[in-house]
Amino acid sequence: MNRILWANAVPDRSVLAEGQEEMLWFTGTDYLGLAHHPEFLHFIQEGLSQLGTHYGSSRNNTLRLKIYEEAETLLAGYLGAPAALSVSSGMWAGQLLLKMLCHIIPEPFQVHYAPQVHPAIAGEGYKAEAGSWKGWAEELIQKISSEKRKSTHVILTDGVGSPWVEKYDFSVFQKLETDQQVVLIIDDSHGFGIVGDEGRGTQSAIVPQPGLDVISVGSMNKGLGIPGGVIAGDSRYLHQIRSSGWFSGASPFSPAYAYALVRMIRSGIYQTQFNCLRQNLDFLEKEGLFASPDWTGFEGYPVLCSENQRLHQKLMDHQMLTSCFAYPTAQDNPVVRLVINASHTQSDLKKLGSVLLS
């Protein structure tokens, strides 16, 4: 098992772990490089000053903070969704939606899980689906399209394969030929801020069609740097979720971060960081890293994976740190994940390429 390193500060493009020289940080999920971004830090500090550290109350209380509704309206527009509802974490966003399915979707309905869905959208009775995502999706479309009995079909899938990176082609759902109602639920934790048009997420790139409702759930704590979760979709679903005891009884994420989210969207900094990330990925594409047989990934996405744990040690020997641990459970095989973020410099990337492509 790879040894654990300890640090006293959140990494940026580099990290100083105890007992180690400073290392370049090529892992984590801070895809847009916001952990130490000066303007983002300023917005958070401004939010703390104006709104306080936390809101230890229900969002449905008599007194309500406008900043949450303001953030949700802007976030829905950013993600290309009709509406958005924020909660304390991505895990709770997924589980809250699952708990509410029987209330927001008319009976009868059938649930279909994609292969390797994240635990956040794995409900009671979940059984892992074998096979490829593409094969599963094509078979499911044929099944729904041929079904005669009137029913609603709830499809649950990740937006991007994780921890083993895989690109999913959601245009396949345009092949649906049915008068059945289909609700497509996407955990887009690893897509918010970095996939789709200008990084607006998977939902923004799905072509609307009759009978298909799309709901995105996920963590904003990765690409967007906000320690909270979101459910984005049709307002009629979100209204019922907001009216539930599960939403009313849960505290929200910090209002200071809601304030920062508003400022980040309005200022266009997310788009700026997305462009920086794409420039970094374009550079590595030209260097040939994405063509290396040692790694699995896809063009335009900042994560590469490998089962070869020696690559983790090789990079450590050159003061570069990837992750290598069993996920999501201790029984799973370790995956080496190499992550590029928007704060990496061309010099960082040249060093990475010189080691991996030598």
Side-chain angles (χ1 to χ4, degrees):
M1 179 177 177
N2 293 293
R3 62 193 180 96
I4 296 171
L5 303 179
W6 298 90
N8 294 312
V10 174
D12 185 14
R13 47 173 285 277
S14 64
V15 60
L16 183 61
E18 291 181 352
Q20 299 286 322
E21 297 181 26
E22 185 174 15
M23 293 180 286
L24 291 175
W25 172 248
F26 283 110
T27 187
T29 57
D30 184 22
Y31 303 121
L32 296 185
L34 297 173
H36 295 273
H37 190 282
E39 289 173 281
F40 188 42
L41 289 173
H42 172 73
F43 293 152
I44 296 169
Q45 291 163 356
E46 201 169 56
L48 287 168
S49 177
Q50 294 186 24
L51 297 167
T53 59
H54 67 288
Y55 187 49
S57 182
S58 169
R59 285 279 307 279
N60 291 343
N61 204 336
T62 307
L63 181 69
R64 303 184 184 184
L65 295 183
K66 289 183 177 180
I67 193 63
Y68 289 112
E69 274 70 20
E70 187 178 358
E72 288 163 350
T73 298
L74 285 171
L75 185 58
Y78 176 76
L79 298 176
L85 187 67
S86 63
V87 294
S88 57
S89 73
M91 181 65 77
W92 181 230
Q95 289 296 307
L96 173 58
L97 179 58
L98 290 179
K99 287 178 180 293
M100 287 296 297
L101 281 182
C102 61
H103 301 281
I104 66 177
I105 296 176
E107 299 279 2
F109 66 88
Q110 301 178 50
V111 177
H112 310 278
Y113 288 105
Q116 298 179 334
V117 298
H118 191 277
I121 55 170
E124 187 174 347
Y126 162 72
K127 293 182 179 179
E129 185 76 22
S132 70
W133 189 94
K134 181 180 179 182
W136 161 83
E138 291 177 344
E139 183 178 325
L140 178 60
I141 287 167
Q142 291 179 0
K143 177 183 177 182
I144 294 174
S145 297
S146 63
E147 189 164 314
K148 306 300 182 184
R149 181 168 58 96
K150 189 71 174 178
S151 179
T152 298
H153 294 266
V154 179
I155 303 172
L156 296 113
T157 177
D158 288 0
V160 177
S162 178
W164 193 261
V165 176
E166 184 179 354
K167 183 178 183 179
Y168 300 148
D169 182 6
F170 284 89
S171 68
V172 69
F173 291 104
Q174 294 174 28
K175 298 178 183 178
L176 278 166
E177 295 180 0
T178 178
D179 59 358
Q180 310 275 11
Q181 181 67 27
V182 177
V183 180
L184 176 62
I185 297 173
I186 303 170
D187 185 328
D188 211 21
S189 298
H190 293 275
F192 293 149
I194 57 170
V195 303
D197 181 30
E198 295 186 337
R200 295 175 184 268
T202 300
Q203 185 170 348
S204 67
I206 296 177
V207 178
Q209 61 189 89
L212 176 64
D213 286 340
V214 181
I215 304 176
S216 294
V217 300
S219 170
M220 297 183 285
N221 198 28
K222 303 182 190 325
L224 303 180
I226 304 294
V230 63
I231 307 170
D234 195 294
S235 58
R236 73 182 187 275
Y237 296 139
L238 301 191
H239 176 73
Q240 292 184 68
I241 293 172
R242 173 154 192 166
S243 300
S244 72
W246 287 306
F247 178 85
S248 185
S251 297
F253 71 104
S254 167
Y257 276 94
Y259 176 92
L261 179 61
V262 167
R263 296 295 302 273
M264 290 292 284
I265 294 175
R266 285 183 172 164
S267 66
I269 293 175
Y270 283 139
Q271 282 75 25
T272 299
Q273 293 301 104
F274 171 77
N275 291 335
C276 290
L277 177 60
R278 287 308 300 263
Q279 289 172 9
N280 282 346
L281 296 178
D282 288 345
F283 176 82
L284 287 176
E285 180 76 19
K286 292 175 182 176
E287 292 286 299
L289 184 58
F290 285 89
S292 170
D294 293 324
W295 299 94
T296 295
F298 59 88
E299 186 178 351
Y301 195 70
V303 183
L304 294 167
C305 294
S306 178
E307 293 178 332
N308 185 353
Q309 297 180 45
R310 288 175 298 192
L311 292 171
H312 173 73
Q313 187 59 52
K314 179 179 181 179
L315 287 167
M316 276 198 69
D317 292 342
H318 290 83
Q319 285 73 54
M320 288 179 277
L321 186 61
T322 60
S323 61
C324 183
F325 66 103
Y327 180 87
T329 73
Q331 286 70 47
D332 290 290
N333 293 326
V335 177
V336 180
R337 279 174 63 90
L338 187 155
V339 179
I340 312 302
N341 71 51
S343 66
H344 285 129
T345 66
Q346 194 169 102
S347 175
D348 299 337
L349 302 179
K350 284 182 178 178
K351 182 178 180 181
L352 176 68
S354 69
V355 172
L356 292 181
L357 299 174
S358 59

